Amino acid sequence: MTADTIRRNFVLGTVQIGMAYGALNARNLPADGAALVAEAENLGIGMFDTAQAYGQSEHIIGQLLDKRENHPFEIVSKIDPETDFLNPKDVLMSARASVRRLGKPLYGLMYHDPDAVRHWRDGAGEGLQIARKEGLCQRIGVSVYT
């Protein structure tokens, strides 16, 4: 597998950077974000998955990437599930906050709520579509487990 294939196909989830998370987290502390970012770069991983609901993850990633010149990472983030996805102003405010914390436009921006799929044509899609038109993200969607 080439480094370019890895960069395009592997995404590192970052919930463990922003909060204590994971079955193997015996210390019950957030992971060392600097070490994870450095290892991701060494392995050729080119994308991070984060979310507003992941504690301080966006903020920490933004600070770490700000210190790395010409970093190769793209970022996908998810709107806080408490945001009213039917209110485009709320969605835009939330999207702008993610971009501000991360320090760059997002590759992808998604809802973290399966109900957004059911209500996409009822207005849920509008806020993300406006965010994309404003250049806050390249791709939009919904992250669901059901």
Side-chain angles (χ1 to χ4, degrees), residues 31-125:
D32 180 350
L36 285 173
V37 168
E39 186 63 14
E41 190 165 17
N42 289 339
L43 293 170
I45 294 170
M47 190 172 292
F48 293 137
D49 171 80
T50 191
Q52 293 173 356
Y54 293 175
Q56 292 296 309
S57 180
E58 286 185 336
H59 177 74
I60 293 167
I61 291 167
Q63 286 185 325
L64 291 169
L65 296 184
D66 186 50
K67 296 175 185 175
R68 301 174 91 79
E69 283 189 41
N70 302 319
H71 67 79
F73 302 109
E74 295 287 352
I75 302 169
V76 173
S77 193
K78 294 173 283 303
I79 300 287
D80 188 321
E82 298 299 315
T83 300
D84 179 2
F85 57 73
L86 292 174
N87 184 331
K89 289 181 182 179
D90 286 355
V91 173
L92 278 174
M93 190 168 59
S94 192
R96 289 178 182 137
S98 283
V99 169
R100 190 172 43 256
R101 282 188 291 272
L102 290 160
K104 66 179 275 185
L106 301 165
Y107 175 78
L109 182 62
M110 297 185 279
Y111 291 123
H112 216 178
D113 185 338
D115 282 336
V117 174
R118 293 180 195 96
H119 297 285
W120 191 262
R121 292 188 179 141
D122 301 330

